[in-house]
Amino acid sequence: MLKAIVLVLPLCLAGCSDRAATASADRPSQAKADPSRAALSSSVVPSEDLAVTGTVVETMDAGPYTYVRLKTASGEVWAAVNEAKLKAGSEITIGNAIWMEKFESKTLNRKFDRILFGSLVASGGAAALPPGHPATTGAVALQAPSAGAADSGDVKVDKAPGKDARTVAEVYASKATLKGVEVVVRGKVVKFNAEIMGRNWIHLRDGSGTADKQDNDITVTTTDMVAKGDIVTVRGKLALDKDFTAGYAYPVIIEDARVVK
């Protein structure tokens, strides 16, 4: 019996719509997300149950995710999990999950009245969180705003050229004066989550700052696609104290950025 689980990616957020228009065969480094902005009309409902178990009836691959229709004891439900090979007839468990209402997937060109995002549970019963997912407490977790990859190794990326360029540490140091200002940051992608709340989420590091001061990792939202390990330059407006609900709160974040590789 196959046991695994589905994790919503931060795959976790409130008011969501799926923006990436990549085919399932496209790799993140080869595709750009659909630039159209869908209204954030969906709502997120924390799961009352920590896990849902069911039999796989149907699956659809879309970008970095696999959508799966499950037959459960209480009826059929749709769920989304990081891309996985799931066979019809196999039993899976979805844990660390949240429900999303009125979720629209641009990739599939389909609307779901209600869909579960979570992670595939391993046979031992523990949730196998996909890369980039924050630690969870109950159904919804608060992601540390500066929490990048657990171990990104040594990162050393040269600062981007130009008057608007800043290192990650410089952004934190001057955040009060940079609020609402376009900044340019060049760094290494240490974490990437796609198609969450109508945008893609990047964690960048350039070797400046320290983990102790929490100024070595910055979160960026964009409609562009990248891959973990890419060296990219981003340009976007700096925002402070943004709370997207459902566990997504950031004291410093670069929003609506354009990515230049």
Side-chain angles (χ1 to χ4, degrees):
M1 177 182 296
L2 171 64
K3 282 207 169 186
I5 67 175
V6 203
L7 152 121
V8 57
L9 297 170
L11 262 177
C12 302
L13 313 206
C16 293
S17 60
D18 171 351
R19 240 195 259 197
T22 61
S24 60
D26 290 342
R27 304 303 349 139
S29 59
Q30 298 172 326
K32 290 250 180 168
D34 183 347
S36 65
R37 290 225 178 219
L40 300 181
S41 59
S42 15
S43 60
V44 62
V45 180
S47 174
E48 296 178 358
D49 300 318
L50 293 181
V52 173
T53 299
T55 302
V56 175
V57 176
E58 174 187 359
T59 65
M60 296 182 293
D61 291 329
Y65 306 128
T66 294
Y67 290 78
V68 55
R69 181 160 59 98
L70 290 176
K71 183 178 181 180
T72 73
S74 57
E76 290 192 350
V77 300
W78 277 99
V81 54
N82 267 24
E83 188 174 9
K85 298 298 183 183
L86 302 175
K87 294 182 178 180
S90 62
E91 182 180 278
I92 63 172
T93 299
I94 300 171
N96 295 321
I98 61 174
W99 287 103
M100 288 187 182
E101 307 284 350
K102 300 179 181 178
F103 178 83
E104 180 179 2
S105 169
K106 295 293 185 183
T107 309
L108 295 175
N109 190 28
R110 178 169 180 167
K111 292 181 179 180
F112 297 90
D113 290 336
R114 197 168 192 244
I115 187 170
L116 183 73
F117 282 87
S119 17
L120 291 172
V121 172
S123 56
L129 301 182
H133 192 270
T136 59
T137 302
V140 179
L142 176 64
Q143 180 175 12
S146 61
D151 181 7
S152 300
D154 293 331
V155 176
K156 184 60 179 177
V157 179
D158 292 336
K159 181 178 175 179
K163 64 182 181 64
D164 297 329
R166 302 286 191 282
T167 67
V168 171
E170 286 172 348
V171 171
Y172 279 96
S174 303
K175 62 184 181 182
T177 58
L178 292 175
K179 180 181 178 181
V181 175
E182 273 203 347
V183 296
V184 175
V185 177
R186 186 170 184 264
K188 181 178 181 179
V189 179
V190 296
K191 185 185 294 186
F192 177 70
N193 292 323
E195 303 181 46
I196 302 170
M197 210 171 72
R199 67 203 77 188
N200 302 324
W201 301 73
I202 302 171
H203 278 267
L204 280 185
R205 293 184 185 177
D206 59 6
S208 66
T210 65
D212 289 341
K213 292 183 179 180
Q214 294 191 337
D215 63 352
N216 67 328
D217 182 299
I218 193 162
T219 301
V220 180
T221 66
T222 180
T223 58
D224 294 332
M225 296 290 285
V226 298
K228 183 177 177 180
D230 285 351
I231 304 297
V232 300
T233 300
V234 301
R235 174 184 285 273
K237 285 189 177 181
L238 191 73
L240 305 181
D241 301 319
K242 293 301 293 284
D243 188 349
F244 297 93
T245 73
Y248 276 54
Y250 301 87
V252 178
I253 187 171
I254 299 174
E255 294 192 292
D256 301 322
R258 302 182 299 279
V259 175
V260 180
K261 294 195 178 180

